[in-house]
Amino acid sequence: MIESAVKKIAVFTSGGDAPGMNAALRAVVRTANHYNLECYGVREGYNGLINNDFTRMGPRSVKNIITEGGTILKSARSLEFKTKEGRQAAYENCKKLGIDALVCIGGDGTFRGANIFNEEFGIKVIGVPGTIDNDIFGTDNTIGYDTALNTAMEAIDKIRDTATSHNRVFFVEVMGRDAGFIALNSGLATGAIDILIPEQKDSIEDLFRTFERAEKAGKASSIVVVAEGEKLGSIYDLAKATKAGFPDYDIRVAVLGHIQRGGSPSCADRVLASQLGYAAVVGLMEGRTNVMAGLKSNQIVYTPIEEAIKKHNEIDPGLLKISEILAI
Amino acid sequence: MIESAVKKIAVFTSGGDAPGMNAALRAVVRTANHYNLECYGVREGYNGLINNDFTRMGPRSVKNIITEGGTILKSARSLEFKTKEGRQAAYENCKKLGIDALVCIGGDGTFRGANIFNEEFGIKVIGVPGTIDNDIFGTDNTIGYDTALNTAMEAIDKIRDTATSHNRVFFVEVMGRDAGFIALNSGLATGAIDILIPEQKDSIEDLFRTFERAEKAGKASSIVVVAEGEKLGSIYDLAKATKAGFPDYDIRVAVLGHIQRGGSPSCADRVLASQLGYAAVVGLMEGRTNVMAGLKSNQIVYTPIEEAIKKHNEIDPGLLKISEILAI
Amino acid sequence: MIESAVKKIAVFTSGGDAPGMNAALRAVVRTANHYNLECYGVREGYNGLINNDFTRMGPRSVKNIITEGGTILKSARSLEFKTKEGRQAAYENCKKLGIDALVCIGGDGTFRGANIFNEEFGIKVIGVPGTIDNDIFGTDNTIGYDTALNTAMEAIDKIRDTATSHNRVFFVEVMGRDAGFIALNSGLATGAIDILIPEQKDSIEDLFRTFERAEKAGKASSIVVVAEGEKLGSIYDLAKATKAGFPDYDIRVAVLGHIQRGGSPSCADRVLASQLGYAAVVGLMEGRTNVMAGLKSNQIVYTPIEEAIKKHNEIDPGLLKISEILAI
Amino acid sequence: MIESAVKKIAVFTSGGDAPGMNAALRAVVRTANHYNLECYGVREGYNGLINNDFTRMGPRSVKNIITEGGTILKSARSLEFKTKEGRQAAYENCKKLGIDALVCIGGDGTFRGANIFNEEFGIKVIGVPGTIDNDIFGTDNTIGYDTALNTAMEAIDKIRDTATSHNRVFFVEVMGRDAGFIALNSGLATGAIDILIPEQKDSIEDLFRTFERAEKAGKASSIVVVAEGEKLGSIYDLAKATKAGFPDYDIRVAVLGHIQRGGSPSCADRVLASQLGYAAVVGLMEGRTNVMAGLKSNQIVYTPIEEAIKKHNEIDPGLLKISEILAI
């Protein structure tokens, strides 16, 4: 291996926590150690940079964390880092410690911060996509997404038991403020009769037609999965409108909420996080900066962070069609 | 074995569904078959009696259902059965079919219906306590309770990941409109700093003192588990009041909701349901009526249904004390 | 949509069962129904063709099976189908019923049978890759693989608790007679210090060096994951050789075995199975035959069955390297 | 509260690890802290006493461990402690540090050690029953048993998928060298057609009759659960004998093994462990010694250790009968 382009790196997690962040952190720390880079962990994301909250990390500091949800470095949203002063302070701390590159584990917001930090101060940054929302361009899946899918699916499977036992209609809200990935995939996987996501134009008429089709097909109970960011209305609005249209229906609402963020990561997430954490360090050593490490068709790829921020993973409309055909 | 007191029985599930109801049903059907009783399943609880919705069940009708949540017989709350006319119609149907006893799987409301039905028409009834709430007198645990505890606990464990990663305070609502069993046990099992249940008098001042103690002890994140029926206020009220008292806290609310009712039953629930389903049939054969089959210290016991309705399982105040000592 | 190339199809599952086979079956049946094809299920794989064991399937026949492991059509290995007479009988039955195409859900062996059946009798066939082994060319993942990974991982996580508590070395055997996919990914995901798979040349010296490295790094307990088909020796041989080399080690062996085949499919497997079941029917309607439906980078692709049989998914050597760097 | 009988206590885990040992440890440490006792953790059971491996523990040392399987104090079987010299050394270390009582978390062997240590040196000891085997007299359940039951049951549920899909007979071995609790309860919960345990006299003829009954009832696949310590023969012997008797059967063997010891404890185990850890400290404070804390009908009870060692929890023969009636 040729000379590394970096010697001393720092790593942090930022934005909403996602299962597999710890696995990514472990990969960063151990890869750095393997290649004799000095590695520091920064607590609470960008706040830690500003507050000079660095800790030296070695292979034993990340012992056993591959199985754990959340992030041992903690995460936070930093208002201060949005100011020039905040970033200046962060940079001073990095300089003082001799940090020559940052591994930034998080989502959109995290990458935006990294991008501006790199542009302003020239410090090398590399992104690792950690978010349950799967809305980051440049990688087939983001870290945490697969685990969140399984969590949502298992919860909806449980709700199905009650729906079936009582001939009920359940509206289930899953996470996804701007993206329908969790809704679409967990809905398909649980046989939801309809899936409402922000990426498609839904109408209450279409929803009603679906209920009618379901009835005609002999379904006595139904589940409708709705993404948090659905534009047709909140899950409560939808339930109310449905009750008005179908007064006989016994309708219930379930908001899955925060359980979707936690839990021990799935195998796919642990493997993905390991690959991307490794790729981030190797990318930095090879001289890359202001890029994000991703995995496409099982190949590591690096995408300019700017592109990762501007573009978005697109929902596959084919999946929606398949879901419609299979549900009833 | 001496002559059985009954020849033809019917079984139904009623009230909120609970994991293990299917296991109990399987036990009833197979025990009946073993002792050469004719056995009918009634769909949708008391409604099925009124609507004459009986099906002959044999050992193969309950194949593999021991693993399944919900109830294959479906459940419903019956307004009609609350009227004399409704019960009269139900009785006529039983008489016509020659049913001489009913196994009634459900909770409080189910037993009240059985009790009045028995008193009015003399038809033999026996109760099997199936409810996640564990509030039935005459049995250490009700069927479904153990599974619900594990579901609630696993959900709170996941929420803990996010709470810890973001230094947050989470208020988590679990089921239990009149009873704090789920809250108390799942809260103790997840290290909740406070547990608010309808059985005890809580005050916002006590809650605040707990937060102060937790802070002093160095806890950066906390979970408060609240039973649905908590009298101090809704979980949203509590969160709001806490925010007013501790403006720095990053507070979130999570309502676990219907996931607590579903899912494949735990081993303890399958075993309990098997024992009580068996005991119900044997009890009827021995001539018992208007009683509930329960399990106390691993012994089958029969309690008069009237007593099971009037009394309630009591929360162990010792557990609350232990929880308080261990949480912080 | 233009005229369909087929009118009456049959579907079966064959070879070792895999979680998601039911989801694939559901997709085939419901897609066929949606496009007005007549659809038959064949019980016990090729045996059912020979024994004329066909059942008409409609959308309600596959109700709720998306959540279930195994296969409701049952599976079997058929010796008779390996004979010309057997295949002739199978063909007669198909002809009699007017079946013009077969959807064959299974692995390598299943596809070999389909290929020869198509070549001999001209009956249209399409393959759907259902096997936990992930060794089928023409698809990123096979149906059942992701679920098996999570099952293996969760089992090894549990074993880790004991390994750590007792400072033990565990050799864990996972499935994979010819392919190391499960071993490699579950081993990486559980921090195994070494992973032995049939695709790579292993030596006892390398294994010993790994133990020495682990000791030096301060690891007091270790897990070695071994694929069933590892060529260096059985897991018992390896344990014995290690004990000879490191007499102080407290060594245990665990064979995960059949638990890896069962269980409710993961979200990824349910979605994949739904897509491939759908794609199989649509492929047949479009006139395709003797191909396998697969998913690459989230795109449906059709690969000639002959190619799917001859080639194999390759282990990514990069993953082995990453595993080695991260484990200690 | 009156004056405590002890001031400085030590706690350790010994014997096979069990889920919930960490929860018990947490309860001991935090209860001690609450009542202002000094508390030390001893690593690796009795070996730690001999090797003077004590650490001061405060409430933060047991943070978050309630969710974790295994034991953070580690466990070991100590040959040295079986010698007088070993125990003398252990005592000297306790004396030097001023330890006036020991909380001993483990099973039979652990209690035997505690009993002799108390008798020889007069040091106060109290036992907490932590073992998955549930064979300790003086408590309805031991810590870890409920979790092990769920683990075994979930594994057998997975095996059932394959058994059903292939019409196979599976012999499944579960843990329990001297006790059939896990076999009996997990077998009942999974609908095993037969359950072989060391507490009952089994015969190959009875087993064969069961297979015949199952066949006659139309069961195409079967599971037989066998306890490790079954006296009729090993699971391989039983499979072989069955194959000889029923040459058509497709028979498989599965040994669940070490997965049964690990995993995050169930809610019931966490609550039980919390109660018994608390009760152990309070018992010592009240002046009790040479007893074991247990839970009977939700009441804390103290049983002389000698009695806990000599007697054993008995299998309920009623459960075996119920299992037989319900399985087929």
Side-chain angles (χ1 to χ4, degrees):
Chain A
M1 168 161 287
I2 58 156
E3 189 76 0
S4 164
V6 295
K7 300 284 183 223
K8 213 185 252 195
I9 66 173
V11 54
F12 61 85
T13 52
S14 166
D17 65 316
M21 281 185 160
N22 278 326
L25 170 64
R26 170 181 178 269
V28 168
V29 171
R30 291 205 172 161
T31 306
N33 175 68
H34 179 79
Y35 289 120
N36 297 312
L37 308 185
E38 230 174 280
C39 182
Y40 290 81
V42 185
R43 284 165 61 92
E44 305 194 7
Y46 289 111
N47 285 340
L49 289 180
I50 296 172
N51 304 331
N52 205 17
D53 198 351
F54 294 82
T55 339
R56 184 78 169 86
M57 296 188 90
R60 295 298 95 197
S61 348
V62 291
K63 196 172 126 182
N64 283 339
I65 66 171
I66 195 170
T67 64
E68 287 174 30
T71 156
I72 61 164
L73 285 182
K74 305 214 169 191
S75 184
R77 288 185 171 88
S78 173
L79 290 176
E80 221 178 329
F81 196 76
K82 294 198 170 168
T83 67
K84 186 69 199 267
E85 294 69 33
R87 292 191 297 272
Q88 184 71 44
Y91 177 67
E92 299 299 337
N93 288 329
C94 289
K95 216 172 109 185
K96 215 162 34 190
L97 195 59
I99 299 297
D100 45 29
L102 297 175
V103 179
C104 318
I105 305 172
D108 245 40
T110 307
F111 295 164
R112 244 184 294 274
N115 185 236
I116 200 168
F117 199 44
N118 169 265
E119 285 176 355
E120 282 179 357
F121 299 99
I123 191 163
K124 281 175 179 136
V125 298
I126 194 158
V128 172
T131 161
I132 62 167
D133 291 336
N134 202 36
D135 56 349
I136 308 287
F137 182 81
T139 191
D140 285 345
N141 285 342
T142 55
I143 297 166
Y145 169 57
D146 183 65
T147 306
L149 282 185
N150 283 325
T151 301
M153 178 190 78
E154 286 165 20
I156 303 173
D157 279 352
K158 289 194 169 84
I159 289 170
R160 168 79 66 195
D161 285 341
T162 296
T164 307
S165 299
H166 289 271
N167 293 342
R168 280 185 188 151
V169 171
F170 266 91
F171 284 85
V172 181
E173 184 190 286
V174 300
M175 281 191 164
R177 236 168 265 165
D178 307 301
F181 287 98
I182 296 179
L184 176 51
N185 283 271
S186 67
L188 175 52
T190 55
I193 62 159
D194 213 342
I195 299 170
L196 306 179
I197 56 176
E199 289 91 339
Q200 76 177 341
K201 220 181 127 37
D202 298 302
S203 78
I204 202 78
E205 290 73 29
D206 284 346
L207 177 62
F208 280 19
R209 264 192 294 277
T210 304
F211 280 121
E212 284 155 8
R213 268 205 314 135
E215 252 190 84
K216 207 175 296 172
K219 274 186 86 81
S221 67
S222 294
I223 284 172
V224 177
V225 172
V226 185
E228 222 178 341
E230 166 62 17
K231 285 162 189 150
L232 189 56
S234 83
I235 198 170
Y236 299 100
D237 298 338
L238 295 167
K240 211 174 146 188
T242 304
K243 186 70 188 175
F246 300 85
D248 289 350
Y249 282 15
D250 185 6
I251 299 175
R252 291 289 189 286
V253 161
V255 177
L256 296 191
H258 276 90
I259 59 167
Q260 295 165 86
R261 289 208 173 282
S264 182
S266 70
C267 190
D269 269 331
R270 295 188 196 181
V271 171
L272 175 65
S274 298
Q275 288 177 285
L276 298 189
Y278 165 83
V281 174
V282 168
L284 287 173
M285 290 172 64
E286 293 169 351
R288 296 177 205 271
T289 180
N290 217 8
V291 297
M292 184 194 83
L295 200 77
K296 283 181 156 174
S297 315
N298 292 322
Q299 299 295 319
I300 290 167
V301 290
Y302 297 94
T303 304
I305 275 194
E306 284 210 304
E307 207 182 332
I309 298 168
K310 271 194 207 129
K311 299 186 186 169
H312 283 285
N313 264 356
E314 302 285 338
I315 283 286
D316 174 6
L319 265 193
L320 267 172
K321 190 185 163 191
I322 290 174
S323 166
E324 213 176 291
I325 290 174
L326 303 190
I328 297 173
Chain B
M1 170 163 285
I2 57 155
E3 189 77 0
S4 164
V6 296
K7 299 283 183 223
K8 213 186 251 193
I9 66 171
V11 54
F12 60 84
T13 53
S14 166
D17 64 316
M21 280 185 160
N22 278 326
L25 171 63
R26 170 182 178 268
V28 169
V29 172
R30 292 204 170 161
T31 305
N33 176 70
H34 180 79
Y35 289 119
N36 297 311
L37 308 185
E38 230 175 283
C39 182
Y40 290 81
V42 185
R43 285 165 59 93
E44 305 193 9
Y46 289 111
N47 284 338
L49 289 181
I50 296 172
N51 304 330
N52 205 16
D53 198 351
F54 294 81
T55 339
R56 182 77 168 87
M57 297 189 88
R60 296 297 95 197
S61 347
V62 292
K63 196 172 125 181
N64 283 340
I65 66 171
I66 195 171
T67 65
E68 287 174 30
T71 155
I72 62 165
L73 285 181
K74 304 214 170 192
S75 184
R77 288 186 170 87
S78 173
L79 290 177
E80 222 178 328
F81 196 77
K82 294 198 169 167
T83 67
K84 185 72 198 266
E85 294 69 33
R87 292 191 297 272
Q88 181 74 43
Y91 176 67
E92 300 299 336
N93 289 328
C94 289
K95 213 172 113 185
K96 217 163 31 190
L97 194 58
I99 300 296
D100 45 30
L102 297 174
V103 180
C104 318
I105 306 172
D108 244 39
T110 306
F111 295 164
R112 244 183 294 273
N115 184 236
I116 198 167
F117 199 45
N118 170 266
E119 285 177 355
E120 283 179 356
F121 299 99
I123 191 163
K124 281 177 180 133
V125 298
I126 195 159
V128 172
T131 163
I132 62 168
D133 292 334
N134 202 36
D135 55 350
I136 307 287
F137 182 81
T139 190
D140 284 344
N141 284 343
T142 56
I143 296 167
Y145 170 57
D146 183 65
T147 306
L149 282 186
N150 283 324
T151 301
M153 178 191 78
E154 285 165 20
I156 303 173
D157 279 351
K158 289 193 169 83
I159 289 171
R160 167 79 65 193
D161 286 341
T162 297
T164 307
S165 299
H166 290 271
N167 294 342
R168 279 183 188 152
V169 171
F170 267 91
F171 284 85
V172 181
E173 185 190 285
V174 299
M175 281 190 164
R177 237 168 265 165
D178 306 302
F181 287 98
I182 296 179
L184 176 52
N185 283 270
S186 68
L188 175 52
T190 55
I193 61 159
D194 213 341
I195 299 170
L196 305 180
I197 55 176
E199 288 92 340
Q200 75 177 342
K201 218 180 129 39
D202 298 302
S203 78
I204 203 77
E205 290 73 30
D206 284 346
L207 178 61
F208 281 18
R209 264 193 293 275
T210 304
F211 280 121
E212 283 155 10
R213 268 206 313 136
E215 253 190 81
K216 208 175 295 172
K219 274 185 87 80
S221 66
S222 294
I223 284 173
V224 177
V225 171
V226 184
E228 223 178 343
E230 166 61 18
K231 287 164 188 150
L232 189 57
S234 84
I235 197 170
Y236 299 99
D237 298 338
L238 294 168
K240 212 173 144 188
T242 304
K243 186 71 188 174
F246 300 85
D248 288 351
Y249 282 16
D250 186 7
I251 299 174
R252 291 289 188 286
V253 161
V255 176
L256 296 190
H258 276 89
I259 59 168
Q260 295 165 87
R261 287 206 173 285
S264 183
S266 69
C267 190
D269 270 332
R270 295 188 194 179
V271 171
L272 174 65
S274 299
Q275 289 177 284
L276 298 189
Y278 165 84
V281 175
V282 168
L284 287 173
M285 290 171 65
E286 293 169 351
R288 296 177 204 270
T289 180
N290 218 9
V291 296
M292 184 194 83
L295 200 76
K296 284 183 155 171
S297 315
N298 292 321
Q299 298 295 320
I300 291 168
V301 290
Y302 298 94
T303 303
I305 275 194
E306 285 210 304
E307 206 183 333
I309 298 168
K310 271 193 208 131
K311 299 187 187 168
H312 284 284
N313 263 354
E314 302 285 337
I315 284 285
D316 174 6
L319 265 192
L320 267 173
K321 190 185 164 191
I322 290 175
S323 167
E324 212 175 292
I325 290 175
L326 302 190
I328 297 174
Chain C
M1 170 161 287
I2 58 156
E3 188 77 359
S4 164
V6 295
K7 299 284 183 224
K8 212 186 252 194
I9 66 172
V11 54
F12 60 84
T13 52
S14 166
D17 64 316
M21 281 186 159
N22 278 326
L25 171 64
R26 170 182 179 268
V28 168
V29 171
R30 292 205 170 160
T31 305
N33 175 69
H34 180 79
Y35 290 120
N36 298 312
L37 309 185
E38 229 174 282
C39 182
Y40 290 81
V42 185
R43 284 164 60 93
E44 304 193 10
Y46 289 111
N47 284 339
L49 290 180
I50 297 172
N51 303 331
N52 205 18
D53 198 350
F54 294 82
T55 340
R56 184 77 170 85
M57 296 189 89
R60 296 297 95 197
S61 349
V62 292
K63 196 172 124 182
N64 283 339
I65 66 170
I66 195 171
T67 64
E68 286 173 30
T71 155
I72 61 164
L73 286 181
K74 305 214 170 190
S75 184
R77 288 184 172 88
S78 173
L79 290 177
E80 222 178 328
F81 196 76
K82 295 198 169 167
T83 68
K84 188 68 198 267
E85 294 69 34
R87 293 191 296 272
Q88 183 72 44
Y91 176 66
E92 299 300 336
N93 288 329
C94 290
K95 215 172 110 183
K96 217 162 32 189
L97 194 60
I99 300 297
D100 44 28
L102 297 175
V103 180
C104 318
I105 305 172
D108 245 39
T110 307
F111 295 165
R112 245 184 294 272
N115 185 237
I116 200 167
F117 199 45
N118 170 266
E119 285 177 355
E120 283 179 356
F121 298 99
I123 192 163
K124 281 176 179 135
V125 297
I126 195 158
V128 172
T131 162
I132 63 167
D133 291 335
N134 202 37
D135 56 349
I136 308 286
F137 182 81
T139 190
D140 285 345
N141 284 343
T142 55
I143 297 166
Y145 170 56
D146 183 65
T147 306
L149 283 186
N150 283 324
T151 301
M153 178 190 78
E154 286 165 20
I156 303 174
D157 280 351
K158 288 194 170 83
I159 289 171
R160 167 79 65 195
D161 285 342
T162 296
T164 307
S165 298
H166 289 272
N167 294 341
R168 280 186 188 150
V169 171
F170 266 91
F171 284 85
V172 182
E173 185 190 285
V174 300
M175 281 190 164
R177 237 168 266 164
D178 307 300
F181 287 99
I182 296 179
L184 177 51
N185 283 270
S186 67
L188 176 51
T190 54
I193 61 159
D194 214 341
I195 299 169
L196 305 180
I197 56 176
E199 289 92 338
Q200 77 178 342
K201 221 183 128 36
D202 297 303
S203 77
I204 202 79
E205 290 73 30
D206 284 345
L207 177 63
F208 281 18
R209 265 193 293 276
T210 304
F211 280 121
E212 283 156 8
R213 269 207 311 136
E215 253 190 81
K216 209 176 294 174
K219 275 184 88 80
S221 67
S222 293
I223 284 172
V224 176
V225 172
V226 184
E228 222 177 342
E230 167 62 16
K231 286 162 189 151
L232 190 56
S234 84
I235 196 170
Y236 299 100
D237 298 337
L238 294 167
K240 211 173 143 188
T242 304
K243 186 70 188 175
F246 301 85
D248 289 350
Y249 283 15
D250 185 7
I251 299 174
R252 292 289 188 285
V253 161
V255 177
L256 297 190
H258 276 89
I259 59 167
Q260 295 165 85
R261 289 208 173 282
S264 182
S266 70
C267 189
D269 270 331
R270 294 188 196 180
V271 171
L272 175 64
S274 298
Q275 288 177 285
L276 297 188
Y278 165 84
V281 175
V282 168
L284 287 173
M285 290 172 64
E286 293 169 352
R288 295 177 205 272
T289 180
N290 217 9
V291 296
M292 183 195 83
L295 201 78
K296 283 183 156 172
S297 315
N298 293 321
Q299 299 295 319
I300 290 167
V301 291
Y302 297 95
T303 303
I305 276 194
E306 284 210 304
E307 207 182 332
I309 298 167
K310 270 192 209 132
K311 298 186 187 170
H312 284 284
N313 264 355
E314 301 285 339
I315 283 285
D316 175 6
L319 264 192
L320 267 173
K321 191 185 163 190
I322 289 175
S323 166
E324 212 176 292
I325 289 174
L326 302 190
I328 297 174
Chain D
M1 170 163 285
I2 56 155
E3 189 76 359
S4 164
V6 295
K7 300 284 182 223
K8 214 186 250 193
I9 67 172
V11 53
F12 60 85
T13 52
S14 166
D17 64 316
M21 280 186 159
N22 278 325
L25 171 64
R26 170 182 179 267
V28 169
V29 171
R30 292 204 171 160
T31 305
N33 175 68
H34 179 79
Y35 290 120
N36 297 312
L37 308 186
E38 229 174 283
C39 182
Y40 289 81
V42 186
R43 284 165 60 93
E44 305 194 7
Y46 289 111
N47 284 339
L49 289 181
I50 296 172
N51 304 330
N52 206 16
D53 198 351
F54 293 81
T55 339
R56 183 78 168 88
M57 297 189 88
R60 296 298 94 195
S61 346
V62 291
K63 195 172 127 182
N64 283 340
I65 66 170
I66 196 171
T67 66
E68 287 173 30
T71 155
I72 61 165
L73 285 181
K74 305 213 170 192
S75 184
R77 288 186 171 85
S78 173
L79 290 177
E80 221 178 329
F81 195 77
K82 295 198 169 167
T83 66
K84 186 73 200 265
E85 294 69 33
R87 292 191 298 272
Q88 181 74 43
Y91 177 67
E92 300 299 335
N93 288 327
C94 291
K95 214 173 110 184
K96 215 162 33 191
L97 194 59
I99 300 297
D100 44 30
L102 297 174
V103 180
C104 318
I105 305 172
D108 244 39
T110 306
F111 295 164
R112 245 184 294 272
N115 185 236
I116 199 168
F117 199 43
N118 169 266
E119 285 177 356
E120 283 178 357
F121 299 100
I123 192 163
K124 282 175 180 136
V125 298
I126 195 159
V128 172
T131 162
I132 62 168
D133 292 334
N134 202 37
D135 56 349
I136 307 286
F137 182 81
T139 190
D140 285 345
N141 285 342
T142 56
I143 297 167
Y145 170 58
D146 183 65
T147 306
L149 283 185
N150 283 324
T151 300
M153 178 191 77
E154 286 165 19
I156 302 174
D157 279 352
K158 290 193 168 84
I159 289 170
R160 167 79 65 194
D161 285 342
T162 296
T164 307
S165 300
H166 290 270
N167 294 342
R168 279 185 189 150
V169 171
F170 266 91
F171 284 86
V172 182
E173 185 191 285
V174 300
M175 281 190 164
R177 238 168 265 164
D178 307 300
F181 287 97
I182 296 179
L184 176 52
N185 283 271
S186 68
L188 175 52
T190 56
I193 61 159
D194 213 341
I195 299 170
L196 306 180
I197 55 176
E199 289 92 338
Q200 76 177 341
K201 219 181 129 39
D202 298 303
S203 78
I204 204 77
E205 291 72 31
D206 284 344
L207 178 62
F208 281 18
R209 264 193 294 275
T210 304
F211 279 121
E212 282 155 11
R213 268 207 313 136
E215 253 190 83
K216 208 175 296 173
K219 275 186 86 80
S221 67
S222 294
I223 285 174
V224 177
V225 172
V226 184
E228 223 178 344
E230 166 62 15
K231 286 163 190 151
L232 190 56
S234 84
I235 196 169
Y236 300 99
D237 298 338
L238 294 168
K240 212 173 145 189
T242 304
K243 186 71 188 174
F246 301 85
D248 288 351
Y249 282 16
D250 186 6
I251 299 175
R252 292 289 188 284
V253 161
V255 177
L256 296 190
H258 277 88
I259 59 167
Q260 295 165 86
R261 289 207 173 282
S264 183
S266 70
C267 189
D269 269 331
R270 295 188 196 179
V271 171
L272 175 65
S274 298
Q275 289 177 284
L276 297 189
Y278 165 84
V281 175
V282 168
L284 287 174
M285 291 171 65
E286 293 169 351
R288 294 176 206 271
T289 180
N290 218 9
V291 296
M292 184 195 83
L295 200 76
K296 283 183 156 172
S297 314
N298 292 321
Q299 299 296 321
I300 291 168
V301 290
Y302 297 94
T303 303
I305 276 194
E306 285 210 305
E307 207 182 332
I309 298 168
K310 271 194 209 131
K311 298 186 188 170
H312 284 285
N313 264 354
E314 301 285 336
I315 285 285
D316 174 6
L319 265 192
L320 267 173
K321 190 185 164 191
I322 290 175
S323 166
E324 211 176 294
I325 290 174
L326 302 190
I328 296 175

